Amino acid sequence: AFLLVASAYALWRGGGPERTMAAIAWTMVAADQLLHAFIPPEFATLDTGHLAIDLFGASATTALALYAHRFWPLCVAVLHMLPLLAHTSRVLDVTMQPAVYLIMQVATSWPVPLILVLATWRHQRRLMRGESEPSWQI
């Protein structure tokens, strides 16, 4: 529900990077729902479906961080790279508790909606002060 509110706010009032992040987040949510429609979650072995989603998230947010004229995408990119460590840890240690694997995959995405709300709010504040800031690196 918080992601829905955060992304709606970003789409309504955000700049290009904020809107792009909302699209990335909802693409990941849709891919996750599609994955679970066909394959039940399995955290006792390497979860290749979520690995693919996490690879998309990490690459998309890294590209956003490289091209956006904002600081916050760097933080989001790092948060999306951390689940890749969970998958690597699962491959290296097959005795890892499934709950730990799940938490390592999911917990780092929890701050993303809050960061998106704050980024959109800051963008609006800059616009209200009359500051002109480009959305993208040239």
Side-chain angles (χ1 to χ4, degrees), residues 16-90:
E18 292 80 17
R19 291 178 178 153
T20 302
M21 185 60 232
I24 291 168
W26 278 105
T27 301
M28 292 178 70
V29 168
D32 185 63
Q33 294 300 313
L34 186 63
L35 175 69
H36 290 294
F38 296 103
I39 302 169
E42 177 63 48
F43 298 103
T45 61
L46 178 65
D47 187 356
T48 55
H50 284 112
L51 173 60
I53 294 169
D54 291 336
L55 282 170
F56 165 76
S59 60
T61 55
T62 299
L64 177 63
L66 290 173
Y67 293 109
H69 193 264
R70 309 271 198 277
F71 176 76
W72 66 265
L74 295 170
C75 301
V76 173
V78 168
L79 290 173
H80 277 92
M81 286 182 193
L82 290 174
L84 298 178
L85 293 175
H87 298 296
T88 303
S89 298
R90 168 50 81 193

Side-chain angles (χ1 to χ4, degrees), residues 2 6 9-10 18 70 72 111-126:
F2 189 46
Y9 179 52
E18 292 80 17
R70 309 271 198 277
W72 66 265
V112 172
L114 177 62
I115 292 171
L116 186 56
V117 166
L118 292 173
T120 304
W121 177 74
R122 286 188 41 83
H123 173 71
Q124 282 301 307
R125 283 194 44 180
R126 283 190 301 274

